[in-house]
Amino acid sequence: QGLAAVRHNADRLLLKMRSAGVLERIRKSGMQHVGPLAWCLCVMQNYEFLIDVLPAEIPIESCETDSRLRQLYQLAFAVRLDAPHLVPSLPPWLFKLKSKKSWIEDARRVGSVVETNVKQVLSRLTDSFEWKFGVGPYVLDIVFPEQALCVDVVGPGRYVGRFDDHGNVMEVFIDGQTAMKHRLATGLGWGLFVIPADEWSSMDNEKDDTSCKTEFLLQKLCGLLAGDQAIVGEKAQRLELASERL
């Protein structure tokens, strides 16, 4: 309900910006302003306003940083998945962007302590998973390809909060980047299992933390991995078709 209210308010504000010519001015101001706004529209799924914001042509040097390029590629990926009917209306350059091998290499190199620990404990149970699996502009932490299941370890830096007037936390949400990543994964047909890093780390205080973590993974994952094979097969087929389309 909170997100729906945010989108509604954003729609009203964007309509005012459109009528006042603000969106057109942003479009002409350069990618340093267009990129962040376009990505916010994508997070909130206000895709129809992208037509007002994205320029018809873009010099490749406008994507001077990996983060800018990746942001735009995430946008293209999300539009194809969520609003394919808008693809013909948006500039062609957006859909010519490609992923970079370095994104996966960087993710493997800088994996967090918790992510690495989950991998180590899981390795004691099975070797049928892939570590840091690239899907378009995103890198999924752990993937079971045959079951079309992915595991995402969500650290404390990937949450945002809503506060009252006195600074007390009212609600906590995963951030926009993580929400888009999860939406992409489930939209492509992956099953999704989220491990909050604080929940995982809380087991470090147990007498035998490795046994506790192993039991945690067994309880959480066994049901998902041993699901109805017809459903698993259908999910894998959807994933394959969607990946080809994207």
Side-chain angles (χ1 to χ4, degrees):
Q1 290 178 349
L3 184 56
V6 169
R7 286 177 183 156
H8 177 70
N9 290 333
D11 278 340
R12 294 173 58 190
L13 176 60
L14 287 162
L15 285 170
K16 290 180 179 179
M17 292 172 69
R18 174 189 280 171
S19 62
V22 175
L23 295 181
E24 183 179 0
R25 291 200 295 274
I26 291 175
R27 186 180 72 240
K28 294 177 179 178
S29 67
M31 289 308 298
Q32 72 272 21
H33 298 126
V34 169
L37 176 57
W39 190 81
C40 288
L41 293 174
C42 182
V43 170
M44 295 187 294
Q45 296 177 276
N46 296 104
Y47 294 113
E48 62 274 18
F49 292 97
L50 289 172
I51 298 170
D52 300 90
V53 172
L54 295 174
E57 301 290 341
I58 177 175
I60 194 62
E61 57 268 22
S62 295
C63 303
E64 70 280 2
T65 63
D66 254 12
S67 59
R68 178 78 46 77
L69 175 62
R70 195 168 182 174
Q71 202 174 57
L72 290 168
Y73 188 30
Q74 289 170 357
L75 170 61
F77 219 73
V79 170
R80 283 192 180 111
L81 188 66
D82 292 336
H85 62 284
L86 289 179
V87 171
S89 306
L90 295 173
W93 62 260
L94 182 66
F95 304 103
K96 294 178 181 177
L97 299 174
K98 303 292 183 183
S99 62
K100 298 178 70 174
K101 188 178 180 181
S102 62
W103 294 343
I104 299 176
E105 294 170 347
D106 290 346
R108 287 175 177 161
R109 188 173 63 252
V110 301
S112 72
V113 173
V114 176
E115 290 170 355
T116 303
N117 188 226
V118 171
K119 175 191 174 187
Q120 291 170 342
V121 175
L122 189 58
S123 296
R124 297 188 179 99
L125 299 174
T126 178
D127 59 0
S128 63
F129 66 88
E130 295 194 31
W131 168 248
K132 297 298 181 182
F133 185 83
V135 180
Y138 291 96
V139 180
L140 305 177
D141 292 336
I142 295 169
V143 162
F144 294 87
E146 291 186 5
Q147 290 83 5
L149 175 69
C150 63
V151 178
D152 189 36
V153 182
V154 180
R158 291 164 61 188
Y159 289 94
V160 293
R162 187 164 70 89
F163 301 85
D164 62 19
D165 295 338
H166 304 288
N168 301 310
V169 177
M170 297 174 63
E171 293 180 272
V172 176
F173 310 93
I174 55 174
D175 63 17
Q177 180 86 329
T178 304
M180 281 181 61
K181 180 178 176 181
H182 290 177
R183 199 166 79 224
L184 166 76
T186 55
L188 285 177
W190 292 101
L192 176 65
F193 170 50
V194 176
I195 300 179
D198 57 348
E199 183 177 354
W200 183 265
S201 298
S202 69
M203 288 181 269
D204 289 338
N205 299 323
E206 301 294 336
K207 185 175 181 180
D208 186 351
D209 64 290
T210 301
S211 295
C212 289
K213 291 173 178 177
T214 301
E215 185 65 24
F216 172 83
L217 290 177
L218 282 171
Q219 289 180 354
K220 298 290 186 178
L221 286 175
C222 278
L224 295 170
L225 293 174
D228 186 299
Q229 291 305 303
I231 295 175
V232 168
E234 181 185 345
K235 283 171 60 181
Q237 187 177 31
R238 279 207 322 273
L239 171 63
E240 184 178 352
L241 291 172
S243 297
E244 289 176 1
R245 186 174 69 249
L246 293 170

